């Protein structure tokens, strides 16, 4: 089970830190991704991290502003979001898969959290 938290309302330029707490199995062998879905848009991968924490993916739209990290001792993955923009407004989901390498494709992640809403006001 994945539990995403940390969303909220923030002004443009502000920061939020999302957490994805995983229960029921250790996350250390597996990749984790953060996805977002804005109204009327497809779900997109914004960031992902492999099992080791050394291979990272960032969508071009968030590079330099978002940082993904993992704490396997806490079975949690984080997404630090800085310099937020109104276009970052979306429901953010974390997901994991049964493979150590990440994928940017949502359909390659079988396990999903419930989502946390991020709203960035201008």
């Amino acid at each position: 089970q994945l539990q995403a938290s940390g969303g909220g309302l923030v002004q443009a330029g502000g920061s939020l830190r999302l957490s994805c707490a995983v229960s029921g199995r250790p996350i250390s062998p597996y990749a984790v991704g953060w996805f977002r879905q804005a109204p009327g848009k497809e779900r997109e991968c914004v960031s992902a991290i492999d099992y080791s924490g050394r291979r990272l993916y960032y969508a071009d739209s968030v590079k330099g502003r978002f940082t993904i990290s993992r704490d396997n001792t806490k079975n949690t993955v984080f997404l630090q979001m800085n310099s937020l923009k109104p276009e970052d407004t979306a429901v953010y989901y974390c997901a994991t898969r049964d493979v150590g390498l990440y994928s940017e494709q949502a359909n390659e992640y079988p396990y999903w959290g419930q989502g946390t809403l991020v709203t960035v006001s201008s």
Side-chain angles (χ1 to χ4, degrees):
Q1 186 175 3
L2 288 79
Q3 181 77 33
S5 62
L9 174 63
V10 64
Q11 288 189 332
S15 298
L16 285 172
R17 188 192 196 204
L18 304 185
S19 298
C20 176
V22 181
S23 60
R25 71 174 198 170
I27 65 166
S28 53
Y30 307 116
V32 177
W34 280 101
F35 294 77
R36 69 185 180 189
Q37 188 165 21
K41 294 189 176 181
E42 291 188 357
R43 191 170 296 192
E44 63 169 341
C45 183
V46 295
S47 187
I49 187 167
D50 80 339
Y51 74 100
S52 71
R54 291 192 292 268
R55 295 178 183 83
L56 310 176
Y57 166 80
Y58 296 101
D60 288 344
S61 58
V62 306
K63 278 181 183 175
R65 300 188 298 122
F66 290 11
T67 303
I68 192 170
S69 61
R70 63 191 298 154
D71 185 341
N72 290 338
T73 65
K74 297 181 179 179
N75 234 36
T76 301
V77 175
F78 304 97
L79 186 67
Q80 178 67 42
M81 307 187 298
N82 298 329
S83 303
L84 283 161
K85 304 175 180 180
E87 51 263 44
D88 294 318
T89 295
V91 178
Y92 284 71
Y93 301 88
C94 60
T96 189
R97 60 201 297 244
D98 294 321
V99 179
L101 300 181
Y102 67 74
S103 169
E104 303 158 36
Q105 304 302 317
N107 61 9
E108 296 190 6
Y109 289 81
Y111 312 107
W112 290 80
Q114 85 291 358
T116 185
L117 177 62
V118 172
T119 304
V120 184
S121 63
S122 57

